[in-house]
Amino acid sequence: MQVLSNTVNNYLVLASILFAIGVMGVLVRRNIIIIFMSIELMLNAINLLLVAFSVFHNDASGQVFVFFIMAVAAAEVTVGLAILVMIYRNTGSVDINSLNKLKW
Amino acid sequence: MDQLVFLILSIISIGAALAVIFSKNPVYSVLFLILTFFSIAGHYVLLNAQFLFIVHIIVYAGAIMVLFLFVIMLLNLNKTNETSKSMLPKIAGAISGGLLLIVLLGAVKGLNQAEASQAVNADMGSVKNLGKILFSEYLLPFEVSSALFLSAMIGAVMLGKKNLKDH
């Protein structure tokens, strides 16, 4: 705790790496479930950064914000997985290449 | 000591995150994602945010991961059926992600370092302190999130129904 400024820089680097891994997962993988997991990874990187800055600035609002982000993420996963089940029922696969009706 | 724990937790989280996006079997991906979430929970402990540590474990490891595993096993997706027609989109995606990482790290490196807040409040992340703030300053968003959950629940049920006409 005594070298806080150094710590926040470390957390910035860690969150950037995790976020980039999440973006890479969304871009590289074609499986919808893996893409969902990558989105969760990105949300978690941002949460970690928010907590680090909240501790750094001695402001508890950041942690309340992380709590709300977790609530929204839970709701998002629920609806997203319901949509995924419907996609699987209608197309028989979870590959996003099968969803090209809006492509021209 | 803190630095060493931070380093170990960071290596675990980055390695598990890479394993999430590169493992072929979705079930293994979910298990590595659980490992990532636990290491991030360890980071919360390191940052002295006990409330978020508990909430993170309950919400992510308890609820979201069970949901993911449930869907994978319900749809019987634990087989590798990812057909790779061309490598070009994958390479382009990996390069784009790497470039994003480089841009982010460059931006972080160019930051002006602000002065750290001197008075480190030890029990800022405690359940008591955050509960007080949540129920006084952020009472309206807290109540609105209940409406969000209700609509998400109704939406999931509506989407999951087989056919809306013959119920």
Side-chain angles (χ1 to χ4, degrees):
Chain A
M1 280 299 173
Q2 58 273 33
V3 277
L4 260 179
S5 60
N6 190 16
T7 316
V8 164
N9 245 357
N10 290 346
Y11 278 106
L12 268 167
V13 172
L14 174 65
S16 306
I17 293 172
L18 282 178
F19 190 86
I21 290 173
V23 170
M24 217 183 282
V26 170
L27 292 175
V28 169
R29 296 303 298 263
R30 304 285 82 181
N31 190 331
I32 300 179
I33 289 183
I34 311 277
I35 290 175
F36 257 117
M37 289 182 209
S38 305
I39 292 171
E40 291 302 309
L41 218 54
M42 288 194 269
L43 280 169
N44 268 283
I46 300 305
N47 277 354
L48 185 61
L49 200 55
L50 268 174
V51 175
F53 273 120
S54 146
V55 172
F56 177 60
H57 286 293
N58 206 3
D59 183 358
S61 300
Q63 303 199 12
V64 177
F65 235 90
V66 170
F67 178 71
F68 285 122
I69 291 174
M70 282 179 185
V72 173
E76 173 247 327
V77 164
T78 319
V79 176
L81 285 175
I83 292 173
L84 193 152
V85 171
M86 281 313 284
I87 288 172
Y88 185 74
R89 247 185 230 150
N90 285 322
T91 67
S93 82
V94 288
D95 196 317
I96 57 164
N97 286 332
S98 63
L99 303 173
N100 54 5
K101 294 279 194 311
L102 285 177
K103 211 164 139 188
W104 62 284
Chain B
M1 183 60 199
D2 270 5
Q3 295 283 315
L4 185 68
V5 176
F6 173 82
L7 204 64
I8 293 169
L9 282 173
S10 305
I11 290 169
I12 292 175
S13 28
I14 291 172
L18 282 173
V20 168
I21 66 168
F22 286 124
S23 56
K24 292 282 169 217
N25 194 332
V27 177
Y28 290 153
S29 283
V30 174
L31 296 178
F32 279 119
L33 195 59
I34 293 173
L35 186 58
T36 315
F37 285 161
F38 272 107
S39 61
I40 288 174
H43 281 300
Y44 289 162
V45 174
L46 212 59
L47 284 168
N48 219 346
Q50 303 109 349
F51 173 70
L52 284 178
F53 166 69
I54 299 293
V55 172
H56 190 266
I57 295 277
I58 291 173
V59 170
Y60 279 104
I64 292 181
M65 285 303 102
V66 170
L67 217 57
F68 268 114
L69 275 178
F70 221 72
V71 168
I72 288 176
M73 291 176 179
L74 201 70
L75 300 185
N76 200 13
L77 297 175
N78 48 355
K79 52 188 183 294
T80 62
N81 50 4
E82 196 158 322
T83 53
S84 57
K85 273 163 233 126
S86 70
M87 283 299 286
L88 192 64
K90 289 190 174 184
I91 293 170
I95 289 174
S96 314
L99 285 178
L100 178 74
L101 177 61
I102 291 171
V103 168
L104 283 176
L105 288 184
V108 168
K109 198 164 174 293
L111 279 182
N112 278 329
Q113 193 59 249
E115 276 300 308
S117 175
Q118 290 305 313
V120 173
N121 194 355
D123 63 27
M124 185 185 69
S126 68
V127 180
K128 188 179 172 188
N129 187 24
L130 281 181
K132 269 184 190 158
I133 293 172
L134 196 59
F135 282 103
S136 59
E137 223 177 307
Y138 293 94
L139 185 60
L140 181 65
F142 184 74
E143 296 292 344
V144 169
S145 69
S146 69
L148 171 76
F149 275 126
L150 183 65
S151 54
M153 196 173 72
I154 294 171
V157 171
M158 289 291 284
L159 284 169
K161 263 187 166 180
K162 269 243 158 55
N163 197 345
L164 284 178
K165 277 168 212 120
D166 49 59
H167 51 83

